[in-house]
Amino acid sequence: MNHPVLLVIAHGSRDPRHAATVQALVRRAGALRPGLRVETAFLDFNLPSVTGVLDRLAAEGVRDVVALPLLLTRAFHAKADVPAVLRQAPAPLRIRRAEVLGPSPLLVAAVERRLYEAGLAPGDKSTTGVVLASAGSTDPEAIAVIAETARELRRTGWCSVRPAFASAALPRTEDAVRALRAEPGVRRVAVAPYVIAPGRLPDRIAAGAAEADVLADVLGPSPELARLLLARYDGAVRAAAQVTAAV
């Protein structure tokens, strides 16, 4: 049986760390599923482009592709940019769109992994406030998902969790840090970047964490994200099979 190709679509960035981190994550996901062909493409700034990869796959005789937006929420890129570029795909390709990565318990687990790697321990949770700092969006659905993810992280036992945004929405990271400082029971404040790869907005998050006690790393090629890519791929394949069976 020929499995559909997994095409991971990242946003792209002028920062070379972004593409390197995306490629590392995709390699990790591919290593978890030997035999699955995994490709990477970028919407902007980096190569290969989405149209370039789709044209190449079609020329090679590939017919089935699962397109996975490497995005944490269903904001503008997921709702507009990705569908627009996929509509330019060569006619022979059958493209199924996978869901964006968030929300997911695996993302909460990845955030906790990064906090522990930054020096915190499970025993610190009850006295540590966490700023869950995302890139930001004007999309109400995306903002609501970030808020819900913050609540899910709080339910794992952290003293307090506040969402923050590097752009487009408030509060900013530094303001959330100061607000947590004022909360009863918070002895230390940690900033957890809720972003996949380094770049301009993650750097803004890091700058806003200057008054925090702990700054975690971006989610990057964490084991949880690699597993989540495959889970979203499997979900898209199952959904397509159910549609086929119903016809």
Side-chain angles (χ1 to χ4, degrees):
M1 176 182 177
N2 290 325
H3 299 286
V5 171
L6 170 57
L7 174 59
V8 178
I9 302 175
H11 180 268
S13 170
R14 293 186 178 90
D15 189 320
R17 297 173 298 168
H18 175 90
T21 300
V22 169
Q23 296 286 7
L25 171 59
V26 172
R27 284 195 300 272
R28 187 161 204 166
L32 293 175
R33 187 73 60 87
L36 173 63
R37 180 173 177 180
V38 186
E39 298 276 351
T40 309
F42 298 89
L43 290 170
D44 204 356
F45 302 117
N46 302 104
L47 293 175
S49 67
V50 179
T51 53
V53 173
L54 292 174
D55 288 346
R56 173 166 54 81
L57 291 174
E60 292 176 10
V62 171
R63 290 297 174 262
D64 292 295
V65 175
V66 170
L68 170 59
L70 195 65
L71 301 167
L72 297 176
T73 62
R74 289 188 70 254
F76 181 79
H77 296 305
K79 294 177 179 178
D81 290 344
V82 171
V85 75
L86 291 179
R87 284 195 291 269
Q88 302 174 38
L93 289 178
R94 290 186 293 267
I95 299 180
R96 307 154 192 174
R97 279 179 56 196
E99 295 293 332
V100 297
L101 300 182
S104 169
L106 285 169
L107 288 171
V108 174
V111 169
E112 289 206 290
R113 172 187 290 275
R114 294 305 189 220
L115 287 167
Y116 295 149
E117 290 172 349
L120 294 171
D124 297 323
K125 294 174 82 166
S126 63
T127 54
T128 301
V130 177
V131 176
L132 187 71
S134 74
S137 174
T138 57
D139 189 298
E141 180 184 352
I143 292 173
V145 168
I146 298 297
E148 177 57 29
T149 301
R151 288 190 289 270
E152 289 297 323
L153 185 61
R154 168 69 182 83
R155 292 184 188 111
T156 68
W158 297 95
C159 182
S160 182
V161 180
R162 287 177 177 254
F165 307 92
S167 67
L170 296 174
R172 294 289 183 258
T173 303
E174 53 269 32
D175 296 325
V177 169
R178 294 179 189 124
L180 280 175
R181 286 271 185 228
E183 286 195 24
V186 174
R187 297 181 189 171
R188 69 187 65 78
V189 175
V191 173
Y194 193 63
V195 293
I196 294 172
R200 178 176 57 88
L201 293 179
D203 283 348
R204 190 178 294 175
I205 290 171
E211 296 179 20
D213 302 295
V214 174
L215 172 61
D217 200 357
V218 298
L219 300 177
S222 65
E224 294 83 5
L225 253 67
R227 289 165 50 203
L228 184 53
L229 261 61
L230 296 177
R232 292 292 186 252
Y233 169 85
D234 291 340
V237 171
R238 283 195 303 270
Q242 290 168 359
V243 169
T244 301
V247 173

